[in-house]
């Protein structure tokens, strides 16, 4: 394994790593590890990945499952379990074995974290309550999260202590209940305002018809979960259901990854394509009108665009004066793309400008989503025609966004004059907004 690590890392890579340093600084990631992954040989590598995240000032909360260990103990003692995943009724014998399994898994996690030099603590920051009777069936010792003490967890994180949360959680009276670890992780991510909820599983992700879904918008996931004919492994379904709840609770991303793969965490987080399934907020939810506080980020984007002459150079002051024209595309609280929408006198035509996407995100549909959004917004605002002036991206506007060549006469006289004076000799393109359906978001 160490030779694998040596191959994966060269000293010169450190320069490349620098750009990741500010990316998620001080963000909280909740990582839920299935019991089978804790006992997998790759777990030591996962802990090394967590140490890398910590070194980038990412705050990690760890939750572990116990399914595999519970089944193992039941086999050894010849006991029939009333439930494995903590979703069905938990009788006294199953509860007793679950406590044993949890102690074994926690110890194993602690050993690995200690070997990686990570400070950690098992905590009772979560309080449970009995699930009670569902459809007349008493779920006995099965619990669900009643309350998360976010203050304690944040205080631990601020002192560089990694909280480890087990799926045996005490209720108000101090009685232990078995809580499903997928649900536990979702509640933690929601309460802590985490940027990511990550499930490390023995599956290559969420599969639909045998194909792993790499990027899944929230609505598609919900449609999939409601589709009775979709065949999902119950263990994956449980994570998918919790991922959808996490997004409802404003966690921007949930990931379902194969924890058996070397480097799974870092690849998923920092690689452009990723490795497993990432569930994210619906695309249009990521585009919003710019606010004054975005001026610096917009200035930086415009500056990069102007370097290649793709965009008109704009000063910070110009951006501050026209920030209301800007729309931004946000990922994880960072602005990675923008576009402007400006009405021509009379409001029947609008100009789409400054369409720019950070090079790292090119080719992922961000540019076309910005243009699509601008078309719908322009139509909403009563415009009939959208005009784009381009010097280098005629192909993008025509092939990907269905614009057609326009004429200088499409522009109002003042705009024509300004264009002439700029010497940019831009191509005029236009899109008739009557071609859009009326289904506005
Ligand atoms: C042009 C730009 C906004 C496209 O953004 P993007 O997020 O990479 O675009 P998408 O991923 O949505 O691409 C959609 C399609 O357009 C194609 N495309 C992208 N840039 C293109 C270009 N310059 N010429 C022709 N086609 C292009 C892509 O290949 C893709 O095709 P596909 O759907 O067949 O795969 C981006 O490259 C950029 O910021 N460029 C620099 C700034 C610029 O020139 N802006 C225009 C000023 S008005």
């Amino acid at each position: 394994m160490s030779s694998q690590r040596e191959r994966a890392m060269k000293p010169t890579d450190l320069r490349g790593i620098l750009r990741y340093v500010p990316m998620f600084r001080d963000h909280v990631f909740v990582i839920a590890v299935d019991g089978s992954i804790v006992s997998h040989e790759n777990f030591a590598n996962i802990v090394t990945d967590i140490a890398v995240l910590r070194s980038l000032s990412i705050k990690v909360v760890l939750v572990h499952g116990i399914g595999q260990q519970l089944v193992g103990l039941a086999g050894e003692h010849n006991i029939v379990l009333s439930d494995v995943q903590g979703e069905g009724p938990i009788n006294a014998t199953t509860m007793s074995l679950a406590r044993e399994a949890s102690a074994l898994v926690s110890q194993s996690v602690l050993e690995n974290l200690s070997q990686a030099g990570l400070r950690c603590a098992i905590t009772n920051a979560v309080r449970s309550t009995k699930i009670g009777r569902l459809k007349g069936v008493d779920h006995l010792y099965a619990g669900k999260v009643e309350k998360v003490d976010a203050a304690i967890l944040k205080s631990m994180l601020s002192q560089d202590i990694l909280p480890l949360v087990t799926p045996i959680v005490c209720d108000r009276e101090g009685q232990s209940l078995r809580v499903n670890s997928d649900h536990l992780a979702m509640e933690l991510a929601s309460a802590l305002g985490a940027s990511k909820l990550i499930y490390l599983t023995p599956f290559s992700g969420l599969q639909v018809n045998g194909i792993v879904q790499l990027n899944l918008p929230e609505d598609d996931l919900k449609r999939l979960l409601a589709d009775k004919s979709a065949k999902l492994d119950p263990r994956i379904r449980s994570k998918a259901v919790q991922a959808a709840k996490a997004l409802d609770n404003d966690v921007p991303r949930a990931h379902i990854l194969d924890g058996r793969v070397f480097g799974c965490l870092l690849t998923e987080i920092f690689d452009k394509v990723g490795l497993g399934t990432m569930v994210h907020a619906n695309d249009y939810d990521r585009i919003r009108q710019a606010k004054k506080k975005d001026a610096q980020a917009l200035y930086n984007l415009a500056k990069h665009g102007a370097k290649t002459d793709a965009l008109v150079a704009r000063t910070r002051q110009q951006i501050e004066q026209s920030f209301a024209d800007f729309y931004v595309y946000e990922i994880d609280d960072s602005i990675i793309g923008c576009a402007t929408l400006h009405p021509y006198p009379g409001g029947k035509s609008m100009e789409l400008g400054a369409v720019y996407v950070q090079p790292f995100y090119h080719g992922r549909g961000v540019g076309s989503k910005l243009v699509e959004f601008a078309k719908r917004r322009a139509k909403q605002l009563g415009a009939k025609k959208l005009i784009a002036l381009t010097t280098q991206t005629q192909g993008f506007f025509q092939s990907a966004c269905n614009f057609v060549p326009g004429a200088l006469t499409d522009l109002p006289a003042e705009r024509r004059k300004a264009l002439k004076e700029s010497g940019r000799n831009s191509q005029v393109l236009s899109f008739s907004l009557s071609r859009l359906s009326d289904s506005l978001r």
Side-chain angles (χ1 to χ4, degrees):
M1 207 49 74
S2 74
S3 66
Q4 215 173 351
R5 247 183 247 168
E6 279 154 22
R7 261 203 317 276
M9 180 72 198
K10 298 194 294 289
T12 43
D13 288 344
L14 284 169
R15 275 194 209 98
I17 287 168
L18 264 184
R19 70 183 158 138
Y20 297 124
V21 173
M23 243 177 175
F24 294 107
R25 182 178 284 146
D26 291 331
H27 288 221
V28 175
F29 291 3
V30 174
I31 303 178
V33 197
D34 275 8
S36 63
I37 298 301
V38 175
S39 53
H40 192 274
E41 59 176 11
N42 193 45
F43 187 61
N45 299 320
I46 290 174
V47 171
T48 308
D49 282 6
I50 292 174
V52 173
L53 297 181
R54 290 293 307 118
S55 72
L56 296 172
S57 296
I58 294 168
K59 299 175 186 306
V60 175
V61 176
L62 207 54
V63 180
H64 70 73
I66 52 170
Q68 190 186 70
Q69 291 75 5
L70 188 55
V71 171
L73 285 174
E76 278 170 30
H77 295 90
N78 221 0
I79 287 172
V80 178
L81 295 167
S82 61
D83 171 87
V84 176
Q85 305 301 334
E87 290 170 314
I90 305 285
N91 61 21
T93 324
T94 303
M95 184 64 215
S96 167
L97 277 193
R99 288 171 64 139
E100 205 179 315
S102 181
L104 288 171
V105 180
S106 294
Q107 193 57 32
S108 174
V109 175
L110 286 184
E111 283 164 9
N112 276 278
L113 292 171
S114 303
Q115 276 159 24
L118 288 166
R119 300 166 73 213
C120 62
I122 295 179
T123 165
N124 64 351
V126 183
R127 190 162 81 200
S128 66
T129 183
K130 280 188 171 176
I131 287 181
R133 284 161 210 271
L134 295 181
K135 293 186 181 151
V137 179
D138 189 346
H139 278 52
L140 303 164
Y141 295 101
K144 60 183 178 189
V145 172
E146 184 187 63
K147 195 176 161 195
V148 174
D149 189 337
I152 291 188
L153 292 166
K154 284 183 181 165
S155 144
M156 290 165 82
L157 291 168
S158 70
Q159 293 173 70
D160 215 14
I161 298 169
L162 184 152
L164 175 62
V165 187
T166 79
I168 305 298
V169 184
C170 291
D171 69 7
R172 193 184 281 271
E173 279 78 41
Q175 181 181 43
S176 290
L177 299 176
R178 161 79 164 116
V179 175
N180 172 270
S181 59
D182 302 333
H183 157 72
L184 182 55
M186 178 281 291
E187 292 286 356
L188 282 160
S190 306
L192 291 168
S195 302
K196 287 183 185 295
L197 166 61
I198 303 174
Y199 289 113
L200 294 177
T201 74
F203 300 92
S204 35
L206 183 67
Q207 296 190 7
V208 178
N209 298 328
I211 299 167
V212 176
Q213 304 297 297
L214 287 178
N215 294 313
L216 203 58
E218 189 180 349
D219 281 354
D220 290 7
L221 173 69
K222 287 180 178 164
R223 257 194 299 277
L224 182 68
L225 290 171
D227 178 358
K228 292 204 168 54
S229 65
K231 289 188 178 47
L232 294 179
D233 183 289
R235 285 173 296 168
I236 282 286
R237 176 177 284 276
S238 154
K239 291 166 207 324
V241 166
Q242 300 303 331
K245 285 187 187 165
L247 265 81
D248 279 343
N249 293 340
D250 290 336
V251 176
R253 306 258 183 119
H255 304 253
I256 302 173
L257 307 182
D258 191 338
R260 300 164 302 180
V261 176
F262 178 78
C264 55
L265 266 179
L266 297 186
T267 308
E268 177 70 8
I269 297 165
F270 296 115
D271 186 88
K272 202 169 165 180
V273 178
L275 175 116
T277 302
M278 179 184 78
V279 186
H280 55 81
N282 298 319
D283 291 320
Y284 289 141
D285 296 346
R286 293 174 166 189
I287 302 175
R288 61 166 173 84
Q289 188 155 25
K291 298 175 187 152
K292 201 162 187 187
K293 70 173 174 64
D294 300 323
Q296 185 61 42
L298 286 169
Y299 172 66
N300 290 341
L301 283 186
K303 200 168 63 184
H304 288 298
K307 261 189 209 157
T308 56
D309 202 32
L311 297 190
V312 178
R314 288 170 171 83
T315 63
R316 168 130 193 191
Q317 202 187 12
Q318 281 170 327
I319 288 180
E320 272 175 3
Q321 280 162 359
S322 61
F323 76 90
D325 280 353
F326 276 90
Y327 291 85
V328 298
Y329 193 108
E330 236 178 357
I331 291 185
D332 294 328
D333 294 334
S334 305
I335 293 174
I336 60 116
C338 65
T340 59
L341 208 48
H342 188 74
Y344 286 157
K348 291 288 165 224
S349 295
M350 292 190 92
E351 184 177 317
L352 167 66
V355 183
Y356 184 78
V357 177
Q358 264 184 24
F360 181 79
Y361 291 94
H362 279 182
R364 294 167 75 176
V366 175
S368 31
K369 277 170 198 142
L370 273 165
V371 174
E372 189 62 22
F373 182 92
K375 286 177 184 170
R376 289 176 185 278
R377 183 47 58 94
K379 182 164 181 169
Q380 243 173 359
L381 295 171
K384 303 273 180 251
K385 199 192 273 185
L386 192 60
I387 302 291
L389 303 178
T390 178
T391 54
Q392 297 170 19
T393 40
Q394 201 179 341
F396 167 72
F397 282 109
Q398 289 194 231
S399 318
C401 308
N402 299 319
F403 277 68
V404 295
L408 279 173
T409 48
D410 287 324
L411 311 183
E414 220 172 285
R415 185 68 182 102
R416 265 201 308 270
K417 186 165 162 252
L419 183 62
K420 194 160 179 236
E421 281 168 9
S422 74
R424 287 178 67 77
N425 195 19
S426 306
Q427 176 86 26
V428 180
L429 299 171
S430 87
F431 180 88
S432 166
L433 296 169
S434 59
R435 293 176 61 191
L436 275 186
S437 72
D438 282 329
S439 60
L440 300 176
R441 284 179 44 90

